[in-house]
């Protein structure tokens, strides 16, 4: 009898709680998994190392990139070779996706793997497009290019012959400032600010909706949400400061008015030297 019972268990593994278990057992197992997932969400530790690396590399490799290009002697990085800022950008394009993947690995709940792959590939592609366009646009500064003017209004561009060359420079600007930024998720500049504000309010709506269900962000979610809030506040201050600038108003017409830092630099900083 014991041998027969053991044989029946081997033939019907569901009786022992295996993959073929009864609906009641499956429900209890799913409920137990759900509770464990919620507990994991609630007790998820703050990823101080990853957020620190994110902040450090962003300030050095992204924000510090154009500053390094202006500080290092031009003789070290000729105009027909990558600048020091370009090497910063290359490092950024490798380090940031790696940190994003590590952050996703530590998340108790993640998106489908295919969506993660597509998002990371899109990010890298956009950052790489921006690398090339930004490199050329920054190098044009040494030839007298003025970022506070449109491409066709620039003194070194408007007299180019044949005129179709101007179209090529406009295409370069589009790849740099529009397509590259959009795919890169760098959305705090004026060209695609609407994407940033939409993302922020979608995040805010989700937080408020989850709060009604007594679900709250963990420390990592709060850090990300507060970062977006701080960014929006700083952009608002930047816009308020330059609100009545007639030259920048001409380059950035319309409701969305968020001047680029490079436009401010060539208009108010480099012109003073």
């Amino acid at each position: 009898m014991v041998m027969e019972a053991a044989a029946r268990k081997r033939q019907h593994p569901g009786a022992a709680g295996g993959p073929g278990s009864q609906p009641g057992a499956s429900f209890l197992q799913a409920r137990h998994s759900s509770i464990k997932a919620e507990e994991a969400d609630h007790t998820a530790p703050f990823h101080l190392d990853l957020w620190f690396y994110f902040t450090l590399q962003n300030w050095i490799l992204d924000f510090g990139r154009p500053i390094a290009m202006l500080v290092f002697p031009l003789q070290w990085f000729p105009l027909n070779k990558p600048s020091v800022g370009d090497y910063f950008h290359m490092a950024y394009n490798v380090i940031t996706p790696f940190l994003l993947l590590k952050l996703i690995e530590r998340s108790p709940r993640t998106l489908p793997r295919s969506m993660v792959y597509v998002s990371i590939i899109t990010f890298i592609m956009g950052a790489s497009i921006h690398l090339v366009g930004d490199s050329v646009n920054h190098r044009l500064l040494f030839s007298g290019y003025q970022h506070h003017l449109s491409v066709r209004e620039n003194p070194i561009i408007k007299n180019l012959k044949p005129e179709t060359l101007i179209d090529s420079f406009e295409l370069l600007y589009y790849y740099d400032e529009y397509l590259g930024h959009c795919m890169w998720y760098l959305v705090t500049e004026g060209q695609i600010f609407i994407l940033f504000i939409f993302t922020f309010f979608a995040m805010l709506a989700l937080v408020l909706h989850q709060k009604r269900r007594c679900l709250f962000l963990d420390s990592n979610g709060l850090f990300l949400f507060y970062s977006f809030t701080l960014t929006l506040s700083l952009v608002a201050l930047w816009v308020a400061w330059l609100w009545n600038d007639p030259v920048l108003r001409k380059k950035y017409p319309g409701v969305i008015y968020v001047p680029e830092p490079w436009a401010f630099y060539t208009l108010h900083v480099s012109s003073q030297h």
Side-chain angles (χ1 to χ4, degrees):
M1 294 294 292
V2 173
M3 294 179 62
E4 290 178 359
R8 282 198 297 271
K9 284 188 177 181
R10 286 195 297 269
Q11 293 173 0
H12 304 285
S21 57
Q22 299 297 321
S26 300
F27 172 78
L28 291 175
Q29 185 177 2
R31 180 176 175 83
H32 179 65
S33 301
S34 177
I35 294 174
K36 289 179 64 178
E38 291 177 2
E39 291 176 352
D41 287 348
H42 184 70
T43 61
F46 182 68
H47 306 311
L48 178 61
D49 55 341
L50 293 181
W51 291 121
F52 173 76
Y53 294 142
F54 264 121
T55 304
L56 183 65
Q57 63 93 28
N58 191 70
W59 276 93
I60 295 177
L61 300 180
D62 187 26
F63 181 77
R65 174 169 46 88
I67 299 175
M69 187 197 71
L70 295 173
V71 169
F72 280 82
L74 186 61
Q75 294 78 9
W76 296 5
F77 303 94
L79 292 178
N80 62 343
K81 301 294 182 181
S83 69
V84 62
D86 296 339
Y87 291 113
F88 277 29
H89 207 319
M90 294 175 195
Y92 177 95
N93 290 7
V94 175
I95 295 174
T96 303
F98 174 77
L99 292 176
L100 284 173
L101 288 173
K102 297 301 292 183
L103 189 63
I104 292 173
E105 285 179 4
R106 295 188 186 181
S107 176
R109 296 180 180 180
T110 61
L111 296 171
R113 185 169 298 180
S114 298
M115 187 176 296
V116 172
Y117 289 161
V118 170
S119 299
I120 296 297
I121 291 170
T122 302
F123 177 92
I124 297 174
M125 185 176 178
S128 301
I129 290 173
H130 183 268
L131 164 62
V132 177
D134 214 42
S135 175
V136 176
N137 283 331
H138 287 178
R139 295 309 227 168
L140 287 174
L141 282 173
F142 297 102
S143 301
Y145 188 85
Q146 302 176 34
H147 280 276
H148 60 277
L149 300 175
S150 67
V151 174
R152 290 187 178 272
E153 292 176 342
N154 260 272
I156 68 170
I157 299 292
K158 64 182 181 182
N159 294 322
L160 284 177
K161 300 297 180 183
E163 292 187 2
T164 51
L165 284 175
I166 302 178
D167 295 331
S168 298
F169 277 98
E170 286 187 325
L171 177 62
L172 178 68
Y173 183 85
Y174 171 80
Y175 275 121
D176 176 16
E177 300 296 337
Y178 289 89
L179 184 61
H181 279 181
C182 187
M183 297 177 66
W184 188 17
Y185 310 131
L186 189 65
V187 295
T188 54
E189 292 194 19
Q191 306 93 325
I192 46 177
F193 179 73
I194 189 67
L195 180 59
F196 169 77
I197 204 71
F198 173 80
T199 304
F200 174 78
F201 282 112
M203 186 185 301
L204 178 62
L206 179 61
V207 169
L208 295 177
H209 175 70
Q210 296 284 48
K211 189 175 181 180
R212 293 178 180 177
R213 301 170 55 192
C214 296
L215 298 175
F216 303 93
L217 295 175
D218 65 3
S219 56
N220 298 284
L222 287 173
F223 180 81
L224 184 61
F225 180 73
Y226 291 149
S227 298
F228 267 71
T229 304
L230 178 61
T231 300
L232 183 60
S233 302
L234 294 176
V235 171
L237 291 174
W238 172 260
V239 171
W241 182 36
L242 301 173
W243 186 258
N244 294 319
D245 192 301
V247 178
L248 295 178
R249 270 288 180 181
K250 182 179 179 181
K251 182 177 182 182
Y252 305 101
V255 179
I256 303 299
Y257 172 70
V258 185
E260 299 171 71
W262 272 115
F264 175 83
Y265 172 81
T266 58
L267 177 61
H268 295 293
V269 179
S270 64
S271 61
Q272 304 297 325
H273 299 284

